[in-house]
Amino acid sequence: KEKGEVEESHILGRRKLAYPIKKQTHAIYALMYFKSPAEAIDKLRRKYHLDQNILRELIFIKNKKLPLNEIKG
């Protein structure tokens, strides 16, 4: 709807959380790089917040992609 485009997506796997979130101790981490108009970010955050399958989301605005091996660490 917002003319966004997913450039890359990676499933980083199931990991133990540092502390329980909504009574969950493990979660599957995912990383996505996407291009989107700035006004679409708030709509995306709201959609993620309302999705009961998503425990937590964090969106960064970056100019440069990080190598995947630096993130998996």
Coordinates of all heavy atoms in Angstrom, one line a residue:
K1 N 0.8 -1.2 0.0 CA 0.0 0.0 0.0 C 0.9 1.3 0.0 O 0.5 2.2 -0.6 CB -0.9 0.0 1.2 CG -2.0 -1.0 1.2 CD -2.8 -0.9 2.5 CE -3.9 -2.0 2.5 NZ -4.7 -1.9 3.6
E2 N 2.0 1.2 0.7 CA 2.8 2.4 0.8 C 4.0 2.4 -0.1 O 4.9 3.2 0.0 CB 3.4 2.5 2.3 CG 2.3 2.6 3.3 CD 1.5 3.8 3.2 OE1 2.0 4.9 2.8 OE2 0.3 3.8 3.6
K3 N 4.0 1.6 -1.1 CA 5.0 1.6 -2.2 C 6.4 1.2 -1.6 O 7.4 1.7 -2.1 CB 5.1 2.9 -2.9 CG 3.8 3.4 -3.4 CD 3.5 2.8 -4.7 CE 2.3 3.5 -5.3 NZ 1.1 2.8 -5.6
G4 N 6.4 0.4 -0.5 CA 7.7 0.0 0.0 C 8.2 -1.3 -0.7 O 7.5 -1.9 -1.4
E5 N 9.5 -1.6 -0.5 CA 10.1 -2.7 -1.2 C 11.1 -3.4 -0.2 O 12.0 -2.7 0.3 CB 10.8 -2.2 -2.4 CG 11.6 -3.2 -3.1 CD 12.5 -2.6 -4.3 OE1 12.3 -1.4 -4.6 OE2 13.3 -3.3 -4.8
V6 N 10.9 -4.7 0.0 CA 11.9 -5.4 0.8 C 13.1 -5.8 -0.1 O 12.9 -6.4 -1.2 CB 11.2 -6.7 1.3 CG1 12.3 -7.6 2.0 CG2 10.1 -6.4 2.2
E7 N 14.3 -5.3 0.3 CA 15.5 -5.6 -0.5 C 16.1 -7.0 -0.1 O 16.6 -7.7 -0.9 CB 16.5 -4.5 -0.2 CG 16.1 -3.2 -0.7 CD 17.1 -2.1 -0.5 OE1 17.8 -2.2 0.5 OE2 17.2 -1.2 -1.3
E8 N 16.1 -7.3 1.2 CA 16.7 -8.5 1.7 C 15.9 -8.9 3.0 O 15.4 -8.0 3.7 CB 18.1 -8.4 2.2 CG 19.1 -8.2 1.1 CD 20.5 -8.0 1.6 OE1 20.9 -8.9 2.5 OE2 21.2 -7.2 1.2
S9 N 15.8 -10.2 3.3 CA 15.3 -10.6 4.5 C 16.0 -11.9 5.0 O 16.4 -12.7 4.1 CB 13.8 -10.9 4.4 OG 13.5 -12.0 3.6
H10 N 16.3 -12.0 6.3 CA 17.1 -13.1 6.8 C 16.4 -13.5 8.1 O 16.0 -12.7 9.0 CB 18.5 -12.6 7.2 CG 19.2 -12.1 6.0 ND1 19.8 -12.8 5.0 CD2 19.4 -10.8 5.6 CE1 20.4 -12.1 4.1 NE2 20.2 -10.8 4.5
I11 N 16.3 -14.8 8.3 CA 15.8 -15.4 9.6 C 17.1 -15.7 10.3 O 17.9 -16.5 9.9 CB 15.0 -16.7 9.4 CG1 13.7 -16.3 8.5 CG2 14.5 -17.3 10.7 CD1 12.8 -15.3 9.1
L12 N 17.3 -15.1 11.5 CA 18.5 -15.3 12.2 C 18.4 -16.4 13.2 O 19.4 -16.7 13.9 CB 18.9 -14.0 13.0 CG 19.1 -12.7 12.1 CD1 19.4 -11.5 12.9 CD2 20.2 -13.0 11.1
G13 N 17.2 -17.0 13.4 CA 17.0 -18.2 14.2 C 16.4 -17.9 15.5 O 16.2 -16.8 15.9
R14 N 16.2 -19.0 16.2 CA 15.6 -19.0 17.5 C 16.7 -18.7 18.6 O 17.7 -19.3 18.6 CB 14.9 -20.3 17.8 CG 14.2 -20.4 19.1 CD 13.6 -21.8 19.2 NE 13.2 -22.1 20.6 CZ 12.0 -21.8 21.1 NH1 11.1 -21.2 20.4 NH2 11.7 -22.1 22.4
R15 N 16.4 -17.7 19.4 CA 17.4 -17.3 20.5 C 16.7 -17.1 21.8 O 15.5 -16.8 21.8 CB 18.1 -16.0 20.1 CG 18.9 -16.2 18.8 CD 19.6 -14.9 18.5 NE 20.3 -15.0 17.3 CZ 21.2 -14.1 16.9 NH1 21.4 -13.0 17.6 NH2 21.9 -14.3 15.7
K16 N 17.4 -17.3 22.8 CA 16.9 -17.0 24.2 C 16.9 -15.5 24.4 O 17.8 -14.8 24.0 CB 17.8 -17.7 25.2 CG 17.3 -17.5 26.6 CD 18.1 -18.3 27.6 CE 17.8 -17.9 29.0 NZ 17.0 -18.7 29.8
L17 N 15.8 -15.0 24.9 CA 15.7 -13.6 25.2 C 16.4 -13.2 26.5 O 16.6 -14.1 27.4 CB 14.2 -13.2 25.4 CG 13.3 -13.5 24.2 CD1 11.8 -13.3 24.6 CD2 13.6 -12.5 23.0
A18 N 16.9 -12.0 26.6 CA 17.6 -11.6 27.8 C 16.7 -11.6 29.0 O 17.2 -11.8 30.1 CB 18.2 -10.2 27.5
Y19 N 15.4 -11.3 28.8 CA 14.4 -11.3 29.8 C 13.1 -11.7 29.2 O 12.9 -11.5 28.0 CB 14.3 -10.0 30.5 CG 14.1 -8.8 29.6 CD1 12.8 -8.4 29.2 CD2 15.2 -8.2 29.0 CE1 12.6 -7.4 28.3 CE2 15.0 -7.1 28.2 CZ 13.7 -6.7 27.8 OH 13.5 -5.7 26.9
P20 N 12.2 -12.3 29.9 CA 10.9 -12.7 29.4 C 10.1 -11.5 28.8 O 10.1 -10.4 29.4 CB 10.1 -13.4 30.5 CG 11.2 -13.7 31.5 CD 12.3 -12.7 31.3
I21 N 9.5 -11.7 27.7 CA 8.6 -10.7 27.1 C 7.2 -11.5 26.8 O 7.2 -12.5 26.2 CB 9.1 -10.2 25.8 CG1 10.5 -9.5 26.0 CG2 8.1 -9.2 25.1 CD1 11.2 -9.1 24.7
K22 N 6.2 -11.0 27.4 CA 4.9 -11.6 27.3 C 4.9 -13.1 27.7 O 4.4 -13.9 27.0 CB 4.3 -11.4 25.9 CG 4.0 -9.9 25.6 CD 3.5 -9.8 24.2 CE 3.3 -8.3 23.8 NZ 2.8 -8.1 22.5
K23 N 5.7 -13.4 28.7 CA 5.9 -14.7 29.2 C 6.6 -15.7 28.3 O 6.7 -16.9 28.5 CB 4.5 -15.4 29.6 CG 3.8 -14.6 30.7 CD 2.5 -15.3 31.1 CE 1.8 -14.4 32.2 NZ 0.5 -15.0 32.6
Q24 N 7.3 -15.1 27.3 CA 8.1 -15.9 26.4 C 9.5 -15.8 26.7 O 10.0 -14.7 27.0 CB 7.8 -15.5 24.9 CG 6.4 -15.6 24.5 CD 6.0 -17.0 24.4 OE1 6.7 -17.9 23.9 NE2 4.7 -17.3 24.9
T25 N 10.3 -16.9 26.7 CA 11.7 -16.8 27.0 C 12.6 -17.0 25.7 O 13.8 -16.8 25.8 CB 12.1 -17.9 28.0 OG1 11.7 -19.2 27.5 CG2 11.4 -17.6 29.3
H26 N 12.0 -17.4 24.6 CA 12.7 -17.6 23.4 C 11.9 -16.9 22.3 O 10.7 -16.8 22.3 CB 12.9 -19.1 23.0 CG 13.9 -19.8 23.9 ND1 13.6 -20.2 25.2 CD2 15.2 -20.1 23.7 CE1 14.7 -20.8 25.7 NE2 15.7 -20.7 24.8
A27 N 12.6 -16.5 21.2 CA 12.0 -15.9 20.1 C 12.8 -16.2 18.8 O 14.0 -16.5 18.9 CB 11.9 -14.4 20.3
I28 N 12.1 -16.0 17.7 CA 12.8 -16.1 16.4 C 13.1 -14.7 15.9 O 12.2 -13.9 15.8 CB 11.9 -16.9 15.4 CG1 11.7 -18.3 15.9 CG2 12.6 -16.9 14.0 CD1 10.8 -19.1 15.0
Y29 N 14.4 -14.5 15.7 CA 14.8 -13.1 15.2 C 14.8 -13.1 13.7 O 15.2 -14.0 13.0 CB 16.2 -12.8 15.8 CG 16.2 -12.5 17.2 CD1 16.0 -13.4 18.2 CD2 16.5 -11.2 17.6 CE1 16.0 -13.1 19.5 CE2 16.6 -10.8 19.0 CZ 16.3 -11.8 19.9 OH 16.3 -11.4 21.2
A30 N 14.4 -11.9 13.2 CA 14.4 -11.7 11.7 C 15.0 -10.3 11.5 O 14.9 -9.4 12.3 CB 13.0 -11.8 11.2
L31 N 15.7 -10.2 10.3 CA 16.3 -9.0 9.9 C 15.8 -8.7 8.5 O 15.9 -9.6 7.6 CB 17.8 -9.1 9.9 CG 18.6 -8.0 9.3 CD1 18.4 -6.7 10.1 CD2 20.1 -8.3 9.2
M32 N 15.3 -7.5 8.3 CA 14.9 -7.1 6.9 C 15.5 -5.7 6.6 O 15.5 -4.8 7.4 CB 13.4 -7.0 6.9 CG 12.7 -8.3 7.0 SD 10.9 -8.3 6.6 CE 10.3 -7.1 7.8
Y33 N 15.9 -5.6 5.4 CA 16.3 -4.3 4.8 C 15.2 -4.0 3.8 O 14.9 -4.8 2.9 CB 17.6 -4.4 4.1 CG 18.8 -4.6 5.0 CD1 19.4 -5.8 5.1 CD2 19.3 -3.5 5.7 CE1 20.5 -6.0 6.0 CE2 20.4 -3.7 6.5 CZ 21.0 -4.9 6.7 OH 22.1 -5.1 7.5
F34 N 14.7 -2.8 3.9 CA 13.7 -2.4 3.0 C 13.7 -0.9 2.7 O 14.3 -0.1 3.5 CB 12.3 -2.7 3.5 CG 11.9 -2.1 4.8 CD1 11.2 -0.9 4.9 CD2 12.2 -2.7 6.0 CE1 10.9 -0.3 6.1 CE2 11.9 -2.1 7.2 CZ 11.2 -0.9 7.3
K35 N 13.2 -0.5 1.6 CA 13.1 0.9 1.2 C 11.6 1.3 1.3 O 10.7 0.5 0.9 CB 13.5 1.1 -0.2 CG 15.0 1.0 -0.4 CD 15.3 1.3 -1.9 CE 16.8 1.2 -2.1 NZ 17.2 1.5 -3.5
S36 N 11.4 2.4 1.9 CA 10.0 2.8 2.1 C 9.9 4.4 2.3 O 10.9 4.9 2.8 CB 9.4 2.1 3.3 OG 8.2 2.6 3.6
P37 N 8.8 5.0 1.9 CA 8.7 6.4 2.2 C 8.7 6.6 3.7 O 8.2 5.7 4.5 CB 7.3 6.8 1.6 CG 7.0 5.7 0.6 CD 7.7 4.5 1.1
A38 N 9.2 7.7 4.2 CA 9.3 8.0 5.6 C 7.9 7.9 6.3 O 7.8 7.4 7.4 CB 9.9 9.3 5.8
E39 N 6.9 8.3 5.7 CA 5.5 8.3 6.3 C 5.0 6.9 6.5 O 4.1 6.7 7.3 CB 4.5 9.1 5.6 CG 4.3 8.7 4.1 CD 5.2 9.3 3.1 OE1 6.2 10.0 3.5 OE2 5.0 9.1 1.9
A40 N 5.6 5.9 5.9 CA 5.1 4.5 6.0 C 5.7 3.9 7.3 O 5.1 2.9 7.7 CB 5.5 3.7 4.8
I41 N 6.7 4.4 7.9 CA 7.3 3.8 9.0 C 6.4 3.7 10.2 O 6.3 2.7 10.9 CB 8.6 4.5 9.4 CG1 9.6 4.5 8.2 CG2 9.3 4.0 10.7 CD1 10.1 3.1 7.8
D42 N 5.7 4.8 10.5 CA 4.7 4.8 11.6 C 3.6 3.8 11.4 O 3.2 3.1 12.3 CB 4.1 6.2 11.8 CG 5.1 7.1 12.4 OD1 6.0 6.7 13.1 OD2 5.0 8.3 12.2
K43 N 3.1 3.6 10.2 CA 2.1 2.6 9.9 C 2.7 1.2 10.0 O 2.0 0.3 10.6 CB 1.6 2.8 8.4 CG 0.8 4.1 8.3 CD 0.3 4.2 6.9 CE -0.5 5.5 6.7 NZ -1.0 5.7 5.3
L44 N 3.9 1.0 9.7 CA 4.5 -0.3 9.8 C 4.7 -0.6 11.3 O 4.4 -1.8 11.7 CB 5.9 -0.3 9.1 CG 6.6 -1.6 9.1 CD1 5.8 -2.7 8.4 CD2 8.0 -1.5 8.5
R45 N 5.2 0.3 12.1 CA 5.3 0.1 13.5 C 4.0 -0.2 14.2 O 3.9 -1.1 15.0 CB 5.9 1.4 14.2 CG 7.3 1.5 14.1 CD 7.9 2.6 15.0 NE 9.3 2.6 14.9 CZ 10.0 3.6 14.5 NH1 9.5 4.7 14.0 NH2 11.4 3.5 14.4
R46 N 2.9 0.5 13.8 CA 1.6 0.2 14.3 C 1.1 -1.2 13.9 O 0.6 -2.0 14.8 CB 0.6 1.2 13.8 CG -0.8 0.9 14.3 CD -1.5 2.2 14.7 NE -2.9 1.9 15.1 CZ -3.3 1.5 16.3 NH1 -2.5 1.3 17.2 NH2 -4.6 1.3 16.5
K47 N 1.4 -1.6 12.7 CA 1.0 -3.0 12.3 C 1.7 -4.0 13.1 O 1.1 -5.0 13.5 CB 1.3 -3.1 10.8 CG 0.9 -4.4 10.2 CD 1.1 -4.5 8.7 CE 0.8 -5.9 8.2 NZ 1.0 -6.0 6.8
Y48 N 3.0 -3.8 13.3 CA 3.8 -4.8 14.0 C 3.3 -4.8 15.5 O 3.3 -5.9 16.1 CB 5.3 -4.5 14.0 CG 6.0 -4.8 12.7 CD1 7.2 -4.2 12.4 CD2 5.4 -5.6 11.8 CE1 7.9 -4.6 11.2 CE2 6.1 -5.9 10.6 CZ 7.3 -5.4 10.3 OH 7.9 -5.7 9.2
H49 N 3.0 -3.7 16.1 CA 2.5 -3.6 17.4 C 1.2 -4.4 17.6 O 1.0 -5.0 18.7 CB 2.4 -2.1 17.9 CG 1.9 -2.0 19.3 ND1 2.8 -2.2 20.3 CD2 0.8 -1.6 19.8 CE1 2.1 -2.0 21.5 NE2 0.9 -1.6 21.2
L50 N 0.3 -4.3 16.7 CA -1.0 -5.0 16.8 C -0.9 -6.5 16.5 O -1.8 -7.2 16.8 CB -2.0 -4.3 15.8 CG -2.3 -2.9 16.1 CD1 -3.2 -2.3 15.1 CD2 -3.0 -2.8 17.5
D51 N 0.2 -7.0 15.8 CA 0.3 -8.4 15.5 C 0.8 -9.1 16.8 O 1.8 -8.9 17.3 CB 1.4 -8.5 14.4 CG 1.4 -9.9 13.9 OD1 1.2 -10.9 14.6 OD2 1.8 -10.1 12.7
Q52 N -0.1 -10.0 17.2 CA 0.2 -10.8 18.5 C 1.4 -11.7 18.3 O 1.9 -12.2 19.3 CB -1.0 -11.5 18.9 CG -2.1 -10.6 19.4 CD -3.4 -11.3 19.9 OE1 -3.4 -12.5 20.0 NE2 -4.4 -10.6 20.2
N53 N 1.8 -12.1 17.1 CA 2.9 -13.0 16.9 C 4.2 -12.3 17.0 O 5.3 -12.9 17.0 CB 2.8 -13.7 15.5 CG 1.6 -14.6 15.5 OD1 1.4 -15.4 16.4 ND2 0.8 -14.5 14.4
I54 N 4.2 -10.9 17.0 CA 5.5 -10.2 17.1 C 5.6 -9.7 18.5 O 4.8 -8.9 19.0 CB 5.5 -9.0 16.1 CG1 5.4 -9.6 14.6 CG2 6.7 -8.1 16.2 CD1 5.3 -8.5 13.6
L55 N 6.7 -10.1 19.2 CA 6.9 -9.7 20.6 C 7.4 -8.3 20.7 O 7.1 -7.5 21.6 CB 7.8 -10.7 21.3 CG 7.3 -12.1 21.4 CD1 8.4 -13.0 22.1 CD2 6.1 -12.2 22.3
R56 N 8.4 -8.0 19.8 CA 9.0 -6.7 19.8 C 9.5 -6.4 18.5 O 9.9 -7.3 17.7 CB 10.2 -6.8 20.8 CG 11.1 -5.7 21.1 CD 10.7 -4.6 22.1 NE 9.9 -5.0 23.3 CZ 10.3 -5.2 24.5 NH1 11.6 -5.1 24.7 NH2 9.5 -5.5 25.5
E57 N 9.6 -5.1 18.1 CA 10.1 -4.7 16.8 C 11.1 -3.5 17.1 O 10.9 -2.8 18.1 CB 9.0 -4.3 15.8 CG 8.0 -3.3 16.3 CD 8.4 -1.9 16.4 OE1 9.3 -1.5 15.6 OE2 7.8 -1.1 17.1
L58 N 12.0 -3.4 16.2 CA 13.0 -2.3 16.3 C 13.3 -1.9 14.9 O 13.8 -2.7 14.1 CB 14.2 -2.7 17.1 CG 15.2 -1.6 17.4 CD1 14.6 -0.4 18.2 CD2 16.4 -2.2 18.2
I59 N 13.0 -0.6 14.5 CA 13.3 -0.2 13.2 C 14.3 0.9 13.2 O 14.2 1.9 14.0 CB 12.0 0.4 12.5 CG1 10.9 -0.7 12.4 CG2 12.3 1.0 11.2 CD1 9.6 -0.3 11.9
F60 N 15.4 0.7 12.5 CA 16.5 1.7 12.4 C 16.4 2.3 11.0 O 16.1 1.6 10.0 CB 17.9 1.0 12.5 CG 18.2 0.5 13.9 CD1 18.1 -0.8 14.2 CD2 18.6 1.4 14.8 CE1 18.4 -1.3 15.4 CE2 18.9 1.0 16.1 CZ 18.8 -0.4 16.4
I61 N 16.8 3.5 10.9 CA 16.9 4.2 9.6 C 18.4 4.3 9.3 O 19.1 4.9 10.0 CB 16.2 5.6 9.6 CG1 14.7 5.4 9.9 CG2 16.5 6.3 8.3 CD1 14.0 6.7 10.1
K62 N 18.8 3.5 8.3 CA 20.3 3.4 8.0 C 20.5 3.9 6.6 O 19.7 3.7 5.7 CB 20.7 2.0 8.2 CG 20.5 1.3 9.5 CD 21.6 1.6 10.5 CE 22.9 1.2 10.1 NZ 24.0 1.6 11.0
N63 N 21.7 4.4 6.4 CA 22.1 4.7 5.0 C 23.0 3.6 4.4 O 23.2 3.5 3.2 CB 23.0 6.0 5.0 CG 22.1 7.2 5.4 OD1 20.9 7.2 5.1 ND2 22.7 8.1 6.1
K64 N 23.5 2.7 5.3 CA 24.4 1.6 4.8 C 24.0 0.3 5.4 O 23.7 0.2 6.6 CB 25.8 2.0 5.2 CG 26.9 1.1 4.9 CD 28.2 1.7 5.4 CE 29.2 0.5 5.7 NZ 30.4 1.0 6.3
K65 N 24.1 -0.8 4.7 CA 23.8 -2.1 5.2 C 25.0 -2.6 5.9 O 26.2 -2.4 5.6 CB 23.5 -3.1 4.0 CG 22.3 -2.8 3.3 CD 22.1 -3.9 2.2 CE 21.0 -3.6 1.3 NZ 20.9 -4.5 0.2
L66 N 24.7 -3.3 7.0 CA 25.8 -4.0 7.8 C 26.0 -5.4 7.2 O 25.1 -6.0 6.9 CB 25.4 -4.1 9.3 CG 25.3 -2.8 10.1 CD1 24.8 -3.1 11.5 CD2 26.7 -2.1 10.1
P67 N 27.3 -5.9 7.2 CA 27.5 -7.2 6.8 C 26.7 -8.2 7.7 O 26.8 -8.0 9.0 CB 29.0 -7.4 6.9 CG 29.5 -6.0 6.9 CD 28.5 -5.2 7.5
L68 N 26.1 -9.2 7.2 CA 25.3 -10.1 8.0 C 26.1 -10.8 9.1 O 25.6 -11.0 10.2 CB 24.6 -11.1 7.1 CG 23.5 -12.0 7.7 CD1 22.4 -11.2 8.3 CD2 23.0 -13.0 6.7
N69 N 27.4 -11.1 8.8 CA 28.2 -11.8 9.8 C 28.4 -10.9 11.1 O 28.7 -11.4 12.1 CB 29.5 -12.3 9.2 CG 30.4 -11.2 8.7 OD1 29.9 -10.0 8.6 ND2 31.6 -11.5 8.4
E70 N 28.4 -9.6 10.9 CA 28.5 -8.7 12.1 C 27.3 -8.7 13.0 O 27.3 -8.5 14.1 CB 28.8 -7.3 11.6 CG 30.2 -7.1 11.1 CD 30.4 -5.6 10.7 OE1 29.8 -4.7 11.3 OE2 31.2 -5.4 9.9
I71 N 26.1 -9.0 12.4 CA 24.9 -9.0 13.1 C 24.6 -10.4 13.8 O 24.2 -10.4 14.9 CB 23.7 -8.7 12.2 CG1 23.9 -7.4 11.6 CG2 22.4 -8.9 12.8 CD1 23.0 -7.1 10.4
K72 N 25.0 -11.5 13.2 CA 24.7 -12.8 13.8 C 25.5 -13.0 15.1 O 25.1 -13.8 15.9 CB 25.0 -13.9 12.8 CG 24.0 -14.0 11.7 CD 24.2 -15.2 10.8 CE 23.1 -15.3 9.8 NZ 23.3 -16.5 9.0
G73 N 26.7 -12.4 15.2 CA 27.6 -12.6 16.3 C 27.1 -13.2 17.5 O 27.1 -14.0 18.2

